[in-house]
Every structure is written in C-alpha cells, then in structure tokens.
Amino acid sequence: MDKVLMKGNEALAEGAVRAGCRAYFGYPITPSSEIAEYMARKYPKIGGTFLQAESELAAINMVYGAAAAGARVMTASSGPGISLKQEGISFLAEAELPCVIVNISRGGPGLGGIQPAQSDYFQATRGGGHGDYHIMVLAPAGVQEMMDLAIEAFELADKYRIPVMIMAEGTLGQMMEPVVLREQVAEFYNKPWATTGCKNRKPNIINTLHLSPDVLEQRNVHLQNKYINIKLREKRAETYMTEDADIVVVAFGIMARVARKSIMEVRKQGVKVGLIRPITLWPFPDDVVEKVSDTAKIFLSLEISMGQMVEDIKLAVNGRRPVDFYGRIGITPNPEEVSKRLLMLAAEEGLR
Amino acid sequence: MRKQVCEGISLASLSIYAGGYGSGKTEVALNFALEKAAGAGEVVLADLDFVNPYFVSREVKADIEQKGIKLIAPSGEFFLGDVPNVPAEIIGFLRQDNDMLLDLAGDEIGALMLGYLSRYVALRPNYDLYLVLNPYRPFAMDLHSIKELKVLLEDTANLKFTGIISNPNLVEETDIDVIRKGHQKVLSFAKSFGIPVKYLTVEERFYDQLFPEYRAMLKKLKLYLRPDWLQ
C-alpha cells in the first residue's frame, strides 16, 4: 500500500477522522496546533464540526456536550492548555463520557517552554483534576502509532465509557515518518445512555452532582470497579531484549526510540541491556516490570522530566531491585549520553 | 563597507523557499546555502520559520556559521519561541549585494513573511522563488491541492513562483522507485502550471545512481535536522 509522509500531529488527526470522530473543539497552542489545523481543513470536505473555542475551558465543556450526545469527539492541547481543561476532565470522568484528549507535551511548570517534555506524566496518570478518578493514557512512540493509537483510543473510550488521553512529546507531533492510512472504522458501540432526544424511553440524564453521601460513595465504588477491570485487561507494554538483560531501561514515547539506539550500542560493548516501553501509562504495565524484575539486576527510568514515571517503576519493583533515574527537561537526552549513563551504571554495578 | 544594490551588473543572488508544511524547505535551503558557502563569499541564510521552533535551521546555527553562513533568525529569548519575531536586520541584508537565501515557514502563514518583505525582494536585480514539493505529503498529492496551495502562497507573498524544487521522499523509507514515481508526479504538476522544475533533490545515498538520469538538475541533500535516533 502507498505510504504518506505525515507529521505526528497530522497522523493523529487523520486517525481520529478514520475512527469516526466528526467533532473537534480546541484552542491552539504550540506544539499541538497542527491537529486543529488538520481538522479545520478536513471537516469542510467530509462533514464534521470544527470549532475553535474562546478558551480551553470552553473547548473541554463542548467536548462534554458532544460526548453526552453520543458523538465521537476530540480535543487537543499542550501542557498549560491541558491544565486549564482539568476541571472538565474530572467532570467527564465522573459522567463516564467517552472522548479523546490529546496532550502534545512540552516542558513546564508554568508557561515553561515549547520544547518536548514528558513532565505531564503525573498530571495524566494520577487524574489531574479533583476527585478519585483515572483516565486511560496512551503513549505512542512513532508517527504510525499516532494514527493507530488515535483509532484505539476512541475504541477504548467507548468500550469503558472513559476519557482517553494520548500523550506524545512535541517532537513526535512535529516529526515526519511514512504511514499507512488505516481503514475507516465501520462498527460503533451502542450508546443507550446518550442524550439523543428522548422519544419513547425514559430520559437519560447526565449529571455529576451527588449530594447524598450514599449515592456519592456508590458512584465512587462503581468507578473504582471499572478502573480495576481496566487494570486487569488493558495494560500494554513492549519489551526489547529483556530476556538476558542485567540493566533494564524503562522509557516511553520518543525516549524509547532513543533508548533502543543506545541499547544496541551498549550491547556491542558487552553490557546486557534491555527495554520496557509502557504503551499505556495508565494503567501502568506493572505486571511486565514485575516479571522482568525476576531476572534484571537494576532498572533505569529514562524520562524527559525530573523523575515521575520512576515512582511507578519503584511501586512495581516493590523494593526487589534498585531503580535508577536519568532525565532532562527542555532537552531530549541523545543516544550518546544515554549510552554513557548505561556504561557508568554497568561499571558501578560490576556488570562489565 | 557593503555595497548597496543599485544600477550596473550584479552577481548577487536571492533564492526563496516556500511550500507546504513539511515539504522539505529547510533541509533544501540549508544544503543549498552550504553548497554556496563552499564556493565563495558570504552567504546569508534567513530562517523565517516563526510558526514553531521544531526542525528549524537555528538548531544548527553554530555548525553552519562555522562553515561561512551568516544566519538571520529569531535571537535571544525568542530563539526557540513561536511568536512572529521578524529579525530586524533582514531588510538591511536584502538591500545589500549578497548571496541570500530565505527559508519560509510552511503554508500561507509562512508566506505572510514574504508578503511583508516582497517590496524589498522586488528591488533585487534578480530572485528565484521556489515552490518546494514533496508529493508524498498530505495536501500535496493531487493537482487540485497543489493548485490551491500555489495560488494561496502567491497571493500571500505578493510574488510569483519562478521554479519548482521536486523533493519526493519518504525519509528513511525512500527508494529509487519512490523518487522516480514522485518526481513524475511533480513534473506533471509543473507542466500544468507552466513553471519549470529547476531541481530534483535526493538524499546523498541515491545521488550516484540517479545522476546519469537527471544530470544537472539533481542535487544531493544531507539531512541536518533529522534526529539520529530516527535514522
């Protein structure tokens, strides 16, 4: 099949279109703006609603409305814009409204910079708004995956009635790789709960206010049960040369690409290194980390942040092995510096 | 002191690279600038991509300045910014007798900058305004889309294209067949516009094999901005 050379942002947007998403609400911000631009260009040709809202707050609440009406709907932003959307995301999570939220991430805190970063990991995986909730978080590592996981995100969102976030670094949004355009999704989930205009049925009411303590607790128990179910079924990770590895790098997104390059290099020098690449950041693939900790001697969390995912690795390893961290912010570590760190670690641990 | 452009014979050149997002303008401009700099005299390259600071010439500022290129780009605090920061010295450079290359941002947003500079460009003794095309990019795959882009860019820039640079590639997945098929497509677009295809740009690894076929129009590209972990 003929391939198309796409930017990550374009591939993600096209994936959403192919998943049947015909509603996009957003407010532009670098490095995510091409997603909005793509939709603005595409929808007039194929039918769909593109709306540049007056703010991120307005956009996320428009997502709430469209999702409540049963539409496949998406919004995209970057760091500061995602922070602004948090109130709405908490509401979406409680109302169990399926939608896709994209964070083409950049460095913070505050306005930060517009270079790539992974420092929104805590915000994404802990539930960045108020209340006891989670959203699912997917982390693509290439442009093809931007398209594939966009399609998958809409499926998961409808399947579990949960907001799904795609978190990809600015570089992944901006860089180009050849992609195969996937088939249009043809079958969709029924949404008997949606507010589609009440005729010959009981009204569907979507509401997040529960003043009765009993009802509130029941709602929370219901959500927690759903999260347990998702944790059982949907953890995803990719492993690379972990079978004989003494040092296991854990890295997601583009950092996993950098890590692979380093691993090949360091292996040539006789150090056995492997890689675990979480594809779902929530639920975190702790089962894979736990299994690999039977044979690995030490873990290294590699991040474009000051150390966030490292906490999930430590929870998964549960004290059985040491967990080291290497990360930068504003700058993506290159394969040479990662190799250097791995060789240093190997020397310290007597692994070469 | 530098000479001002005025009457008489001038050997000055000005090449402007415009096109859709991700068509390869920056890599083409960088390579052409380095080729010129290896020849003689000072070469001025203006990085006018203010849409965002990803994959822009200013990332390799130190390297190219060492090779004799004067880079004009957003500086200081705005070096990695995404604001419409027009380097003040650009008009001065455009009025001098020099070898200059302008690398615009993508689409009509990028051409806006050229619209602003067009009155100074028109005063130069000669200039080339190139439409860089990669027919493997979305919105650059059919004649209708290219026509739309061309009209939009020319209207925004207030200048007409003088040539096309054919840059057919799928980065790492490019092969000879991809180049030939893509280039054929670009030739057919060019024919319907009545604009000549001036160059076919290919990565170094394809140059020797394709040279007998395309001769002088073939130019080799070294990719300066592609991260090594992608290659």
Side-chain angles (χ1 to χ4, degrees):
Chain A
M1 183 183 256
D2 284 349
K3 288 195 170 182
V4 184
L5 185 62
M6 294 183 113
K7 285 191 177 211
N9 284 339
E10 296 165 344
L12 186 145
E14 182 59 37
V17 166
R18 280 163 195 262
C21 171
R22 291 292 181 275
Y24 180 94
F25 306 101
Y27 188 86
I29 179 170
T30 308
S32 74
S33 301
E34 291 82 4
I35 298 174
E37 284 164 13
Y38 195 91
M39 292 309 206
R41 215 161 162 169
K42 195 91 185 185
Y43 280 165
K45 293 184 182 126
I46 60 168
T49 301
F50 168 86
L51 204 149
Q52 181 174 319
E54 63 269 38
S55 72
E56 286 85 350
L57 275 76
I60 196 73
N61 285 298
M62 290 171 187
V63 168
Y64 187 104
R72 284 200 156 177
V73 53
M74 182 165 89
T75 187
S77 191
S78 300
I82 296 289
S83 291
L84 284 165
K85 290 181 202 278
Q86 290 303 327
E87 181 195 48
I89 296 173
S90 168
F91 279 53
L92 284 155
E94 207 297 318
E96 296 187 274
L97 292 176
C99 60
V100 174
I101 300 155
V102 183
N103 183 358
I104 303 298
S105 52
R106 52 187 256 182
L111 273 178
I114 44 191
Q115 292 298 305
Q118 299 178 327
S119 49
D120 299 343
Y121 181 92
F122 280 155
Q123 186 195 50
T125 59
R126 268 58 182 168
H130 57 284
D132 285 305
Y133 76 92
H134 283 288
I135 57 173
M136 290 189 73
V137 185
L138 309 178
V143 176
Q144 181 74 59
E145 266 196 0
M146 289 289 262
M147 178 172 293
D148 296 353
L149 289 183
I151 297 170
E152 185 64 17
F154 279 98
E155 294 297 309
L156 289 166
D158 281 352
K159 185 175 178 186
Y160 294 102
R161 290 191 60 185
I162 190 169
V164 178
M165 177 175 280
I166 295 177
M167 195 160 86
E169 310 79 14
T171 310
L172 194 44
Q174 296 295 324
M175 75 187 203
M176 294 193 291
E177 285 185 305
V179 298
V180 174
L181 300 175
R182 302 300 186 198
E183 292 293 313
Q184 295 277 350
V185 173
E187 270 185 66
F188 298 97
Y189 285 84
N190 282 329
K191 297 180 177 178
W193 46 265
T195 53
T196 51
C198 182
K199 271 184 199 156
N200 308 320
R201 62 161 166 82
K202 270 173 60 184
N204 286 335
I205 295 170
I206 292 170
N207 171 37
T208 65
L209 179 67
H210 310 293
L211 292 175
S212 150
D214 290 343
V215 174
L216 181 63
E217 189 173 49
Q218 275 168 24
R219 282 297 304 161
N220 271 278
V221 169
H222 167 75
L223 288 177
Q224 291 306 315
N225 286 337
K226 176 164 86 176
Y227 300 148
I228 290 167
N229 190 23
I230 292 172
K231 278 191 203 168
L232 277 172
R233 293 160 193 268
E234 301 296 348
K235 288 173 187 169
R236 293 174 202 190
E238 188 180 79
T239 57
Y240 175 66
M241 301 184 103
T242 48
E243 295 78 16
D244 66 339
D246 291 324
I247 304 175
V248 172
V249 177
V250 186
F252 68 91
I254 59 165
M255 272 326 296
R257 304 276 291 263
V258 175
R260 259 177 191 261
K261 187 104 179 167
S262 296
I263 288 166
M264 285 192 282
E265 198 47 49
V266 171
R267 278 205 171 239
K268 282 185 208 152
Q269 301 187 43
V271 182
K272 289 176 185 160
V273 188
L275 170 73
I276 298 173
R277 181 201 143 213
I279 297 169
T280 51
L281 301 183
W282 196 92
F284 186 73
D286 47 8
D287 49 347
V288 179
V289 176
E290 197 190 342
K291 185 164 172 275
V292 170
S293 69
D294 288 342
T295 50
K297 296 201 168 67
I298 184 166
F299 287 84
L300 173 69
S301 185
L302 189 62
E303 305 175 47
I304 318 174
S305 77
M306 295 285 99
Q308 300 193 11
M309 179 177 65
V310 64
E311 292 190 4
D312 281 335
I313 302 166
K314 282 182 178 169
L315 282 170
V317 171
N318 201 15
R320 294 168 70 201
R321 300 278 180 263
V323 181
D324 196 21
F325 166 76
Y326 184 71
R328 300 188 71 176
I329 191 99
I331 293 157
T332 305
N334 61 41
E336 292 73 40
E337 70 184 290
V338 173
S339 298
K340 216 169 125 189
R341 180 68 175 208
L342 286 168
L343 290 169
M344 202 178 87
L345 202 59
E348 280 169 15
E349 301 288 319
L351 297 171
R352 10 179 357 196
Chain B
M1 217 176 97
R2 289 172 199 282
K3 287 179 282 179
Q4 296 290 311
V5 177
C6 54
E7 313 89 62
I9 298 161
S10 169
L11 294 174
S13 72
L14 172 65
S15 310
I16 308 159
Y17 303 89
Y21 276 130
S23 53
K25 298 172 298 299
T26 300
E27 295 281 15
V28 168
L30 266 174
N31 277 270
F32 281 32
L34 284 161
E35 191 189 321
K36 267 184 188 291
E42 189 186 58
V43 173
V44 182
L45 172 63
D47 169 4
L48 300 178
D49 191 342
F50 55 82
V51 170
N52 75 47
Y54 281 84
F55 307 113
V56 288
S57 304
R58 47 195 187 271
E59 278 181 40
V60 290
K61 182 177 162 67
D63 281 358
I64 61 174
E65 287 195 335
Q66 242 181 16
K67 291 176 180 152
I69 292 173
K70 162 80 188 160
L71 182 75
I72 312 176
S75 58
E77 255 193 286
F78 296 111
F79 186 70
L80 291 177
D82 59 348
V83 288
N85 173 259
V86 186
E89 66 271 36
I90 186 153
I91 292 164
F93 276 105
L94 274 171
R95 292 162 68 103
Q96 289 165 14
D97 193 9
N98 56 15
D99 279 334
M100 198 161 176
L101 300 93
L102 307 186
D103 172 23
L104 302 174
D107 289 353
E108 70 277 17
I109 301 290
L112 264 180
M113 179 72 96
L114 187 55
Y116 166 66
L117 296 173
S118 58
R119 72 193 104 156
Y120 306 102
V121 170
L123 288 175
R124 301 272 298 198
N126 50 57
Y127 66 88
D128 293 297
L129 173 54
Y130 294 116
L131 175 63
V132 181
L133 288 179
N134 178 359
Y136 293 99
R137 291 278 295 137
F139 307 115
M141 305 179 105
D142 58 275
L143 184 62
H144 176 76
S145 306
I146 298 283
K147 217 174 228 169
E148 208 176 76
L149 177 73
K150 177 185 166 283
V151 170
L152 207 55
L153 291 180
E154 287 184 335
D155 286 355
T156 314
N158 208 17
L159 294 167
K160 297 278 180 212
F161 284 109
T162 61
I164 287 173
I165 294 179
S166 171
N167 183 37
N169 76 86
L170 286 170
V171 282
E172 288 77 16
E173 291 182 34
T174 308
D175 59 29
I176 293 283
D177 204 37
V178 163
I179 296 172
R180 283 198 185 116
K181 268 166 93 177
H183 184 59
Q184 273 311 317
K185 228 169 155 180
V186 174
L187 286 174
S188 73
F189 296 152
K191 204 173 157 194
S192 75
F193 297 148
I195 301 176
V197 176
K198 288 281 181 69
Y199 301 107
L200 165 62
T201 48
V202 298
E203 270 185 78
E204 278 174 318
R205 60 194 162 118
F206 302 111
Y207 185 81
D208 290 344
Q209 198 182 337
L210 289 172
F211 185 76
E213 221 170 302
Y214 298 105
R215 302 266 163 188
M217 78 166 337
L218 193 69
K219 289 275 185 186
K220 57 177 127 175
L221 291 185
K222 187 176 167 197
L223 302 184
Y224 289 95
L225 302 171
R226 191 101 180 132
D228 62 352
W229 44 266
L230 272 178
Q231 293 168 20

